Amino acid sequence: MSRPLRVICTGLFAAGALAACSNVPELDDKISPALRDADFPTLLPLDTTLNATGLSNVTPAAEGKAVQDDLAARAARLRARAAALNSVEN
């Protein structure tokens, strides 16, 4: 085994040994008995949730179109600004 490989293997072994010595907190002790015995929340269909929030007409295509329009408007403003700056310099 070459020296650099031996050093790397020794370092990895030492790191693993140090990690094994750490104290991991018990997560089960952090949960209260009332929370542990609580029922799972009721799951709602996505359509119901979207209708309740007023977002039922949002589609990925509409969102994509809105983002595309916003980016096109920003690009047009930047081009106009660049043209204005170029005309001032010349």
Side-chain angles (χ1 to χ4, degrees):
M1 185 183 305
S2 68
R3 182 169 172 82
L5 186 58
R6 187 177 303 153
V7 170
I8 291 173
C9 289
T10 304
L12 288 175
F13 176 76
L18 287 175
C21 294
S22 66
N23 291 330
V24 178
E26 293 296 327
L27 297 178
D28 291 336
D29 295 341
K30 303 287 183 187
I31 300 173
S32 67
L35 184 58
R36 185 176 292 123
D37 296 334
D39 292 333
F40 284 101
T42 305
L43 299 178
L44 299 174
L46 185 58
D47 293 338
T48 305
T49 306
L50 290 176
N51 287 336
T53 59
L55 299 174
S56 62
N57 60 353
V58 176
T59 62
E63 281 293 311
K65 178 74 171 130
V67 170
Q68 189 175 16
D69 291 345
D70 182 49
L71 289 175
R74 289 176 61 193
R77 286 193 306 270
L78 286 172
R79 285 188 191 99
R81 186 175 172 191
L85 288 172
N86 282 333
S87 67
V88 170
E89 290 178 6
N90 293 331

